[in-house]
Structures are given as structure tokens and as C-alpha cells.
Amino acid sequence: MVTKPTQLVSMPDTPYVAGLLIAAVLWVGVFDGRAPAASRTSPRRCPRPCNIKDCKPCSKRDVVRERGLAVPLKDGAVDGAIALVDERLDQPVLERAPALRCEAPPGSSRASVTGWGLAAAGSGRGVRGDSTPLTCGRVQLANVEEASAEENACLQNMEQKARIRKQLLEPEFLPSSYDTAWVAMVPLPGSPQVPCFPQCVECVLQNQQSNGSWGLVQVDSSINKDVLSSTLACVLALKRWNVGGEHIKRGLRFIGRNFFIVTNEQSVAPIGFNITFSGMLSLGMEMGLEFPVGQNDLDRILHLREVELKRLLGDKSDGRKEYMAYVAEGLGNLLDWNQVMKFQRKNGSLFNSPSTTAAALIHNFDDKALQYLNLFVSKFGGSVPTVYPTNIHCQLSLVDSLENIGISHHFSSEIRSILDVAYSFWLQRDEEIMLDVATCAMAFRLLRMNGYDVSSDDLYHVDASTFHNSLQGYLNDTKSILELYKASKVSVSENEFSLDNIGYWSGRLLTEKLLSDRAQTTEIFQEVEYALKFPFYATMERIGHKRNIEHFDCGSQKLKTEHLPCRVSQDFLALAIEDFSFSQSIYQDELLHLESWAKGNRLDQLQFARQKLTYCYLAAAATIFPPELFDARMSWAKNGVLTTVVDDFFDVGGSKEEHENFITLVEKWDDHSKDEFCSEQVQILFYAIYTTVNQLGAVASAIQNRDVRKHLIELWLQLLRSMMSEAEWRMRKYVPTVEQYMSNAVVSFTLGPIVLTSLYFIGPKLSECIVQDQEYNELFRLTSTIGRLLNDIQGLERESREGNLDYVSLLVLHSGGSMSIETAKETIQKAIASCRKGLLKLVLMENTVVPRPCKELFWKMSKIVHLFYSQIDGFSSPNEMVSAVNAVINEPLKLQINNPPLPVQSEN
């Protein structure tokens, strides 16, 4: 006797229930007054409701309600009653809502419990098969304090997003005491005894710290060389105009107490510190300042500048000239200022640096330089930033940060506005983008990956030689090199030789940095190591998000002083933590549901099958991570589990008779009862696929507003027939041609039921025309080809051992002995790279037939297979991906706390 497939909800097994399943799904939107959940694009409503848009604490319950599957009930409810069921726990939602209390006006005959999405109409009888009355009216939370706390959390979440939106569009620049001091020292043209910018002098007077220092306030009351440099510059500015006598005394005492840090090699130093700090010491002594420091200590730091200058004079590169001009304020009369002015930009600045430009004005008046200083002093008042202008760099950094920690989807319109401006700057080859290597590389990567048409030919000015002769190249700036390396990986054509070249030499420089002992002590070391080990096309997004949250970097850089491109508030980190933790709780519940589904379908009883349920769900959760996309994750994961089991069934688990019986049953589908099952494992397999595809097909049809179930069944038939072909080849010992193998392998790699089914749950409508379009089929072909080739390289030994064919061995066999296994693998790797670039090009192309969110799903699957098969056959390995599963689903965030700098010595 055939065992019936496990039902979602325990209820009488009647034709009434089976026949109205699809209609019931469609009824959900009617009862709720809304369209089916997965098809809605409007913000979710709070189930209380609290009338707060995007109510985060409530949205988990909202997801439960919206993802419930509607089924008609017979016993315990009147005709027409509908109950939403929590699909993950296989029980009516009301059972999970003990905190909800329902009240109704006397005599009411209509009931509605909307707190968790359960709706019933008629006599008011319960949906649990008992006589519990369901009364209507208003739903109250039993715990008022809990409701208040949740609403406060909702408001806090909204305020966080509002602050981030404002920051994205109007970046806040942090002032630099060092640069403010140098601008304060500029004399009024024609009046050398009068400051040109008295507001800067006043700013210096108003911003001395209680311990006598100037500089960025350290939250842990610590200092570094940057604070000492800023303090010395401010002391010089006040001395220059003979004001703030007490400020000068406190500043000098601070420098004296902490002078030991100057020569401490373990303390991170700003760029050119040995030159700028020594130069300012010499200038201070010329002004008559007396430093409370021993003569030997003074001589030691002054000697460091002499050593540095000798080294620089021996270097004839253009990079060295640019560097000396950049730190010109520390060299004074030792420089030819006419040579320095050759580095002046169109905006009048030198390197967009207020301090360097101010020093040039002090030694060599220039009208354009004065206009530059006037511009930002009038904009910011007396406080001067370290770099100006830097809007584009700052905004691009913020966008990159939002993407890296997984919350960019909350700010789509703001990001689009920023990228539109960046694109216009790119087309104009604006200096603000093109003259800074890191900004240029970041702009190229972000613009291309967001669908803007940027050509790699625009990076013609970036090669190994020009980089070496630039300021960033001379400084061997890790951040710039890393940005170039990342940009080189977003290639969409085999003809983008400039990107290949940049990737080669930047990767080599980064590898050399990793091998140096000093690099391993810097904060950026781990980021470089991660980028080299996991290129962006071989990563799981959610794993990357978690890593970036745990190592959250506000983006500070060491220039001539501590530099934050703009103020990155803790709202970024707080929202990312909340978002990830919330999603993780959803994933844990969904995995429990998936385990219950697999057990209910008796898949655990198939001894031949690999048990890869957690891996399949990992692939879904790590890529389709927004909580509301429950249906898409379930479709991906369930079909992933089923295709794995079926693959094992055709490889090792079934006989030819069972294979044929299985395919016949699927071909007949609803008419399968006319045939017998030749074995229990065929019965288990068929019913698992039959019930799952029917359920997914019903929901997908509701979302798409058309019947897609036939397409889902056809995807399975295509897969089974391709697997049957491979099984027959193996049994007959037939060796197909390379073309025959790949034509079949594109289908047998199993992505049809996994990816193509999931597309229906992402959101956009997919008409029959789109599904039949060449672009749709090419996206599938490229993704499947990448997966098959990667799998064949890593699974070579296992497949050979089991007597299965693979692309590597076929290339060797058909070469007539002219090709070795290693040569075949190299050939395949080139083919993989070509397919990957072609796939990315299709995904990024704008205004095409397939909607962008759907195209991105193909790219995400490509990233998954790259990660699974980049080193070994990670999918078949029992342990290889366990850490990834734990990272995404089980292990909570572990925030990293950086080591604090050296402590300040108090004035007492």
C-alpha cells in the first residue's frame, strides 16, 4: 500500500482539502485585504498594528503571518473558514500566540485575530477543532510593558535609518587640529603681522583639551604621534601671532610629558612624521619656544629628519618628488617652492591638503591657493578638514561600507543618487575621482557592480609604472593597492587586459605585504588576507557581512594626521548588528522547519543519499538573506536537498528499473496512481518531489498571477532525463564527445529546480516570454557550466572511483594522449573564467529582458559554487563547510575590540 505524503497540517485527509489547496493560498490575500505576501512590494505592517513603517521587532511575527500557508478546515470551523498556518512548525498560528488576548463586542458573529495573521469568519468557533471561541474587535498584548519596549525599539530603528540617510547625502567632515593650525599661520597678503584667517586662530584657542593637547578626542583617553603632531602645530600657530600664552605653556608641558612617544617605533606614525614633526620643532626653536625636553632627545628626533632627507635625495623617482611636496610644511626653506607648485591642482590646492597648501602660501603667495583656502574656510568656519574636497570619496566609502555589512538595501534611493553623481564625475574625468588611485578604483568597482556603463579603458592612467611614481605608490599604500586589486576582479570580458594587468601586479604587491612581519601587526592585514583568499566571485554574502560587522572599521586613515574621510556614526554598526541578529533568528527557525520537512518526507530513510540539508539551507540563507524572502529560501533549500538525493539515486542508489519507474511516475504526475512503485525508495523519492513541487507551485502561481506548476514539473523532468542519460552511459561504458557531455551536463548539474524555481519567489513577475527568452537560457547555461566545470575539477578522483564521467578525463581521452590532467585542468580554469565574466556582463547589463533581481540570483549561485568547489569538493565533504554553517546560522556576532594606543600621562 502506498504511504500518503506527510501533510502540512494535521487534518482529515479529504479530497476537499487537496482540491482546494491552490484556491486557499489565493484566499490569503483576500482575507487580509492585501496581495499574497511574497508579491507585495509595499512595507510590511506591524501585526499589532503600531502604525510604524518597517517595524523591526514585529517583523519576525509579520514574516510568520505573511509566510503562512492557507488551508481550508473542515472540523471545528464553519464552511468557508480559513486559517493561516505557520508553515515552519506545522500548526495553526494561534497556538504560537499565547500573549494575544481577543475581545469582541457582545453578539458579534464575525471573528478576526490579526495579531499573527489568523483570520476566521462565521460562527466564531475555534480553528483548533475545539469549542474555543474566537472573538473579534481589537487584539491586545497581555504585557503592556513589552509592547512599549517594542515600539521604542521600532522608533529607535527608524531614527537610526533617518540619521544614516542624512549622513549619506550630507557627509559630516571631522575637523583636523593639525590642518587648522597651519591655515591659521597664513598671513594676510600685504600684512605679514596679521592672520589671514583669524577664525582659525580662534578655533585653535577654543579647542585645546584639558590635558593641554589638541587633536581628535580619544574615547579611551589615549594618545599617539598624531596627537603630538597636532599639538605642536597648534602651539606654533598661537606663537606665530603671540596669543594664548597659557595655551602655549600647557601645550608645551603636554609635549614634554609625552615626548617619549615620538621615538617609540611601536607607535603608529602619520605620513612623513619624522620630517613634519622635526621641521616644526626647528621652526618652534626659531620662534623662541623652549621645549621641556632634554637636548639629547631633541637632537635625536632632529637627526631622524636628516637621515630621512639623505635617503630621499638618493631617490630620483617622481614618487619621491611628490612625497616631498606633500610633506613640504616640514621642510620649509629646504625646498624649491616653485617646484612644489607644479603639483597644484585645478582647484588651487596641493594634493587637496589644507596644510600643504597653507605652507605653500606662507612661503610663496599664490592667488589660486588663497582662493582654495578661502573656499573651505567660508564653508566650515574656523575648523579645517584634513582633506578637501572629499565628498565623492566619502560618499563612495559609505556606500561600500553599507554593502559590506549587509544593510545597503535599506538605503537604495540614497545610494542611487550618490552613484549618479559619481558617474557624472567619472564621465567628466573629474580630478576628485581620477587623481586619487583609491577613489578611482573604488568608483570603478561600485559603479560597474551597480549597473553603470564604465569602461576599464578609463583606467589607462593606472599601471605598475605610474602607480610607483605616484604618492600612493611611493608610500606603498596598502589601501590603494587593495582597492585596485578589488577593481581588477570585476572584469566582464576576456579583452579587459588592463584589469588583468592591474590584478597581477596589485596581487603580487599585496602578497609581498602579507609576507612581511610588520604587515601582520596592522589592522588592514586581515582584509588583505581575506581578499586574496576569497575573491568577490567566490564568497557567500552573509559570511562576508558577518566578518565585516565583527571587524567594523570606521574608515580612518593615517595621512599627515589621523583622517576620517567623514564621520561614520555608530548607527551603521548598530543597524547591521540588529539586522544580522534578527535574520539569524529567522534562519534558525527555518532550519528547524526544513529538518521537519525532510523527516516528514522520509528522506532520512534513504541510506544511499548524502545528508546535505544544512549545506543546502546555508546556500539559500547566505545569499537570499532578507528575512521576508522565506519562500525563496525554502524553494532553494528544499530543491537543493531533493536534487542531491536524486543525484545519488541515479549515481549509486537505484537500479535501471527503478530509474525508469521513477521517471515514468514523474511524467504522469497527477495520474501516477495508475502505476505501481517498484520499490519503497522510489515511492519516497516520488512523493517527496510531488508534494514539495505542488506546494511550491501553488505559492509561486499565486505570486506570479499565473500557473507556473507545469514549468516546475518540466524542470524536474529535464533533470531526471539528463541524469538517466549519464546513468546509461555509465552502464554501457559509453564515452560521449566533449560536446555531448557538456550539453547534458548543463542540465544534470541540478540548478534547474534550484535556481529557476526560486526566481518565481524573488518578487518580479516572470512572464512566459521571459522564461523562453534567450537571455534567461544563457544565464542558466553559463551558471550551470561554471558549476559543472568546477565540480569536475574538484570531484575528479571521486567520480573516477565511482565510474562516472567528468570533463577533465574526457578532455584527456579525446586529446589522443597530447593533454595531461594538469593541462586539462588549466584549460578548464580558463573556460570557467570566461563563463564567469560573460555571466557577470549579462547580470550587470541594464534594460534587458530578465529583471535585475532575478539575474542577480544566477550570479549568487555562481558565487556559491565557486566557494564550494574552489579548493576541494566542499559540498561532498562532511566537514569543509561546517564553519560556514555555524557562522551564518548558529554562532552569534563576536565584535572585535582594537588594542588601545599608549596611555596619556596626566598633567599632575
Side-chain angles (χ1 to χ4, degrees):
M1 180 178 177
V2 175
T3 304
K4 296 286 184 183
T6 302
Q7 299 292 331
L8 186 64
V9 181
S10 178
M11 61 176 66
D13 182 24
T14 66
Y16 173 75
V17 173
L20 291 181
L21 177 60
I22 297 178
V25 174
L26 295 173
W27 265 80
V28 179
V30 177
F31 259 77
D32 199 51
R34 301 176 290 173
S39 67
R40 290 195 303 272
T41 57
S42 58
R44 299 189 307 276
R45 291 184 297 173
C46 173
R48 289 195 292 274
C50 67
N51 297 319
I52 296 177
K53 180 182 176 182
D54 292 332
C55 175
K56 177 67 72 173
C58 310
S59 57
K60 185 174 181 181
R61 284 181 290 179
D62 222 4
V63 168
V64 173
R65 175 188 59 176
E66 294 181 353
R67 293 296 168 258
L69 185 64
V71 294
L73 299 176
K74 187 174 182 181
D75 295 339
V78 298
D79 291 343
I82 299 289
L84 284 179
V85 176
D86 182 349
E87 192 187 15
R88 289 174 293 174
L89 297 185
D90 299 346
Q91 60 182 351
V93 176
L94 185 62
E95 298 290 348
R96 300 195 63 221
L100 297 178
R101 181 169 66 249
C102 307
E103 299 176 352
S108 173
S109 62
R110 187 171 181 84
S112 175
V113 180
T114 60
W116 277 36
L118 186 151
S123 65
R125 289 294 178 183
V127 298
R128 291 175 292 178
D130 57 26
S131 59
T132 306
L134 290 180
T135 55
C136 71
R138 53 195 174 87
V139 178
Q140 296 179 334
L141 282 173
N143 191 331
V144 177
E145 291 183 358
E146 178 186 349
S148 177
E150 288 186 355
E151 289 191 10
N152 287 338
C154 292
L155 290 170
Q156 185 178 10
N157 180 270
M158 289 178 61
E159 290 168 357
Q160 283 177 341
K161 291 178 181 177
R163 288 193 296 268
I164 292 174
R165 287 190 179 95
K166 183 176 186 297
Q167 188 178 346
L168 283 169
L169 300 178
E170 302 173 13
E172 233 184 302
F173 299 98
L174 291 172
S176 162
S177 297
Y178 178 85
D179 289 86
T180 301
W182 275 101
V183 174
M185 284 188 264
V186 175
L188 185 68
S191 303
Q193 300 306 314
V194 179
C196 186
F197 303 104
Q199 59 270 57
C200 293
V201 179
E202 183 63 24
C203 184
V204 171
L205 286 169
Q206 296 298 323
N207 285 280
Q208 188 177 32
Q209 305 297 322
S210 59
N211 61 8
S213 70
W214 280 270
L216 287 178
V217 178
Q218 303 292 319
V219 294
D220 54 2
S221 300
S222 58
I223 62 168
N224 49 33
K225 290 180 180 179
D226 168 58
V227 175
L228 285 168
S229 185
S230 297
T231 301
L232 180 52
C234 289
V235 167
L236 294 180
L238 297 181
K239 181 64 176 177
R240 172 70 178 83
W241 307 115
N242 290 316
V243 294
E246 287 302 314
H247 294 74
I248 293 174
K249 290 178 183 178
R250 289 199 299 272
L252 290 173
R253 286 199 296 269
F254 175 85
I255 293 171
R257 290 193 309 274
N258 296 283
F259 201 80
F260 70 96
I261 295 176
V262 174
T263 54
N264 185 338
E265 295 182 359
Q266 299 304 313
S267 177
V268 179
I271 292 174
F273 177 79
N274 286 345
I275 291 178
T276 56
F277 193 82
S278 302
M280 288 190 293
L281 278 177
S282 296
L283 181 59
M285 288 186 286
E286 290 174 10
M287 289 179 173
L289 289 173
E290 295 183 1
F291 295 95
V293 178
Q295 189 61 44
N296 289 338
D297 290 330
L298 284 174
D299 291 342
R300 185 179 176 186
I301 186 61
L302 292 173
H303 177 68
L304 288 177
R305 183 172 70 153
E306 294 176 8
V307 172
E308 183 80 1
L309 288 175
K310 286 181 180 179
R311 183 184 65 80
L312 288 171
L313 292 175
D315 185 344
K316 302 300 182 182
S317 69
D318 291 338
R320 186 269 302 175
K321 296 175 184 177
E322 197 166 344
Y323 170 71
M324 290 186 72
Y326 179 64
V327 296
E329 65 266 35
L331 295 172
N333 294 325
L334 296 176
L335 278 179
D336 180 347
W337 285 94
N338 289 324
Q339 292 296 317
V340 172
M341 294 305 294
K342 291 181 178 181
F343 296 100
Q344 189 175 36
R345 298 187 177 180
K346 291 178 181 179
N347 62 15
S349 77
L350 292 166
F351 310 103
N352 285 347
S353 168
S355 57
T356 306
T357 309
L361 264 179
I362 292 170
H363 289 86
N364 187 23
F365 177 78
D366 181 87
D367 188 58
K368 285 180 64 179
L370 182 60
Q371 289 178 24
Y372 166 77
L373 295 183
N374 272 317
L375 177 65
F376 67 72
V377 169
S378 63
K379 178 180 178 67
F380 297 108
S383 299
V384 175
T386 302
V387 180
Y388 182 82
T390 186
N391 277 46
I392 289 297
H393 177 84
C394 172
Q395 289 180 309
L396 290 175
S397 297
L398 293 176
V399 170
D400 197 34
S401 181
L402 290 173
E403 291 185 354
N404 288 339
I405 57 180
I407 56 175
S408 59
H409 56 284
H410 295 299
F411 310 99
S412 300
S413 62
E414 290 80 11
I415 289 174
R416 178 59 60 178
S417 297
I418 290 170
L419 295 180
D420 283 345
V421 173
Y423 186 54
S424 68
F425 275 44
W426 181 274
L427 294 177
Q428 298 166 30
R429 296 194 63 81
D430 190 275
E431 281 188 345
E432 194 173 339
I433 284 183
M434 292 301 175
L435 289 187
D436 182 78
V437 172
T439 305
C440 183
M442 191 191 328
F444 174 79
R445 172 171 56 86
L446 290 175
L447 288 172
R448 172 166 281 191
M449 290 304 294
N450 281 277
Y452 292 83
D453 183 18
V454 288
S455 172
S456 58
D457 293 339
D458 292 333
L459 297 174
Y460 65 84
H461 63 296
V462 181
D463 58 31
S465 176
T466 55
F467 179 75
H468 176 72
N469 285 310
S470 69
L471 177 61
Q472 292 95 337
Y474 181 81
L475 295 171
N476 199 20
D477 180 50
T478 304
K479 181 67 175 175
S480 297
I481 301 171
L482 181 58
E483 284 297 341
L484 285 168
Y485 180 77
K486 289 179 179 179
S488 74
K489 298 305 173 185
V490 296
S491 175
V492 295
S493 169
E494 294 183 75
N495 298 322
E496 291 194 305
F497 303 115
S498 58
L499 289 185
D500 294 338
N501 184 45
I502 290 172
Y504 171 74
W505 62 259
S506 61
R508 179 172 51 80
L509 289 176
L510 291 175
T511 302
E512 290 173 0
K513 280 180 169 289
L514 288 185
L515 297 176
S516 69
D517 293 336
R518 182 172 179 79
Q520 298 185 29
T521 64
T522 61
E523 294 177 10
I524 202 172
F525 168 80
Q526 291 180 329
E527 188 177 352
V528 170
E529 186 177 43
Y530 188 82
L532 290 175
K533 187 175 181 180
F534 301 106
F536 88 107
Y537 57 77
T539 58
M540 286 186 181
E541 289 183 63
R542 219 47 178 156
I543 294 177
H545 295 162
K546 184 175 187 180
R547 179 195 170 277
N548 292 325
I549 293 170
E550 291 179 337
H551 300 85
F552 184 72
D553 181 8
C554 62
S556 67
Q557 295 175 268
K558 284 291 184 185
L559 299 181
K560 286 183 291 186
T561 181
E562 182 79 18
H563 171 53
L564 289 167
C566 54
R567 188 187 299 274
V568 179
S569 71
Q570 289 302 305
D571 289 324
F572 279 58
L573 183 58
L575 183 59
I577 291 171
E578 177 187 354
D579 212 64
F580 186 90
S581 300
F582 168 68
S583 297
Q584 201 170 46
S585 67
I586 292 285
Y587 302 156
Q588 291 165 3
D589 287 348
E590 290 177 357
L591 186 56
L592 289 175
H593 160 66
L594 202 58
E595 291 169 349
S596 175
W597 163 84
K599 188 173 182 180
N601 282 282
R602 301 167 63 199
L603 296 178
D604 57 329
Q605 297 178 23
L606 299 175
Q607 298 301 315
F608 62 83
R610 290 169 290 172
Q611 300 301 313
K612 297 297 177 182
L613 184 144
T614 52
Y615 282 14
C616 292
Y617 182 70
L618 167 69
T623 53
I624 312 173
F625 55 85
E628 63 271 16
L629 294 180
F630 165 80
D631 293 319
R633 284 191 295 278
M634 286 299 100
S635 172
W636 182 302
K638 289 179 179 180
N639 279 308
V641 171
L642 292 173
T643 54
T644 301
V645 173
V646 170
D647 185 43
D648 291 341
F649 173 70
F650 277 92
D651 276 354
V652 296
S655 64
K656 182 178 180 180
E657 180 187 5
E658 287 176 312
H659 295 166
E660 292 173 346
N661 179 225
F662 182 38
I663 293 177
T664 299
L665 290 164
V666 175
E667 287 173 337
K668 294 188 176 181
W669 202 253
D670 287 334
D671 294 331
H672 67 272
S673 58
K674 298 177 182 178
D675 286 64
E676 297 290 332
F677 296 100
C678 68
S679 69
E680 185 179 15
Q681 62 185 20
V682 170
Q683 173 188 332
I684 293 173
L685 267 180
F686 174 76
Y687 272 128
I689 293 174
Y690 179 78
T691 56
T692 301
V693 170
N694 280 342
Q695 288 175 359
L696 292 174
V699 178
S701 296
I703 294 170
Q704 294 293 321
N705 291 327
R706 69 183 184 90
D707 187 5
V708 301
R709 195 176 67 132
K710 290 181 180 178
H711 183 219
L712 305 190
I713 297 170
E714 182 59 31
L715 291 175
W716 270 102
L717 276 173
Q718 291 173 2
L719 174 63
L720 298 181
R721 288 165 181 161
S722 69
M723 289 182 168
M724 186 66 177
S725 295
E726 292 182 351
E728 289 176 346
W729 291 345
R730 184 172 59 253
M731 293 174 188
R732 292 163 41 204
K733 299 189 183 303
Y734 172 74
V735 179
T737 65
V738 170
E739 291 75 17
Q740 283 178 316
Y741 174 82
M742 283 308 301
S743 176
N744 192 73
V746 165
V747 179
S748 68
F749 190 61
T750 77
L751 297 191
I754 299 173
V755 177
L756 300 185
T757 302
S758 299
L759 293 178
Y760 287 122
F761 299 97
I762 293 300
K765 293 292 188 291
L766 293 176
S767 67
E768 184 69 23
C769 292
I770 293 176
V771 173
Q772 297 298 326
D773 194 85
Q774 181 181 355
E775 179 193 354
Y776 179 94
N777 293 315
E778 182 66 2
L779 287 163
F780 174 71
R781 186 191 70 81
L782 290 170
T783 308
S784 294
T785 300
I786 291 168
R788 170 51 65 198
L789 295 182
L790 283 167
N791 176 260
D792 281 4
I793 290 176
Q794 299 302 339
L796 176 62
E797 293 183 9
R798 179 174 61 84
E799 297 292 351
S800 299
R801 188 170 57 250
E802 295 175 0
N804 295 325
L805 293 168
D806 61 79
Y807 196 65
V808 181
S809 57
L810 281 176
L811 281 181
V812 174
L813 283 171
H814 288 297
S815 71
S818 64
M819 183 180 291
S820 66
I821 289 179
E822 288 306 313
T823 303
K825 287 183 176 180
E826 290 175 5
T827 302
I828 294 172
Q829 289 290 3
K830 291 179 181 178
I832 292 169
S834 177
C835 287
R836 182 175 65 240
K837 292 177 180 180
L839 176 62
L840 185 59
K841 183 176 183 178
L842 270 180
V843 171
L844 299 180
M845 198 176 294
E846 291 288 298
N847 302 316
T848 60
V849 173
V850 181
R852 176 67 184 265
C854 296
K855 292 196 293 183
E856 287 178 346
L857 204 62
F858 288 100
W859 178 247
K860 290 177 179 180
M861 173 52 91
S862 172
K863 294 174 72 172
I864 290 292
V865 295
H866 269 93
L867 182 63
F868 273 165
Y869 301 118
S870 59
Q871 304 296 327
I872 65 170
D873 184 351
F875 188 76
S876 297
S877 169
N879 302 313
E880 184 67 19
M881 304 304 296
V882 170
S883 61
V885 171
N886 289 331
V888 173
I889 301 171
N890 299 321
E891 296 174 350
L893 290 164
K894 300 174 183 176
L895 299 180
Q896 176 175 294
I897 300 176
N898 295 324
N899 294 326
L902 295 169
V904 166
Q905 292 188 12
S906 62
E907 193 162 1
N908 297 327

